[in-house]
Amino acid sequence: EYLLRGIARRDEMIEELESWGQSLKEWAKASAEAVALWQMQIGEVTANGFQHGGATQPIRQEILVAGAQRARRRAVQLAALDFGSGIPATIGPVAKAAGHKLDHGRLIAYACRDGVTARSVPENQGRGLSTLLRTLAMNEEGRLLILSGDGVFYFNGSKEETMELPAGSAYGVGLVGTLTVISLRT
């Protein structure tokens, strides 16, 4: 088990990913190449939290990360929760400028497209989430769930689904930040 922990800085995240990767190599007997790819993809998700979150919403500056290994299913799951402004708030102006008026679920899906980014800086070229989807599509049971604002995005390796949670309902959480859950078959 990869117990819940708070990560306050990117350099701490690198250390945590190394620790997680080492335990995954030992437990799943996964190849070093596969683990390195998974670490890179999960690192991208957490980097998004540091890049697009935190500074705009000082509710909590750290990212929470937890994970689990499922021996019978030969699978691992890792979740990251940041408390930033969230994907819909961050990518909404970019989508609007491109002529799209989208609900929160579709804004998350839009953010997963190759080249879509809210920041035009060298370290972020809008490739992280789209690369993650390609990696998960190659994984036998790769899955991704993202909850941000009132939107849900789910990818099962071949199909994307989005959902808008009704505001004011028991399900309309209006999450400030982004929860990302990645599942991989080892």
Side-chain angles (χ1 to χ4, degrees), residues 1-5 19-20 23 27 66-71 75 77-78:
E1 299 299 309
Y2 187 75
L3 301 177
L4 182 67
R5 60 203 69 209
S19 171
W20 175 75
S23 70
W27 172 79
Q69 302 167 345
R70 304 288 178 231
Q77 190 172 58
L78 194 67

Side-chain angles (χ1 to χ4, degrees), residues 38 41-43 45 76-80 132 136 142-145 180-184:
W38 299 339
Q41 297 304 320
I42 293 164
V45 169
V76 294
Q77 190 172 58
L78 194 67
L132 175 59
L136 292 170
R143 306 281 187 269
L144 173 67
L145 174 71
T180 304
V181 182
I182 300 169
S183 299
L184 295 164

Side-chain angles (χ1 to χ4, degrees), residues 38 72-76 139-142 183-186:
W38 299 339
R72 278 192 281 155
R73 293 188 61 221
R74 305 255 334 129
V76 294
N139 188 275
E140 188 178 323
E141 291 186 29
S183 299
L184 295 164
R185 177 143 180 137
T186 58

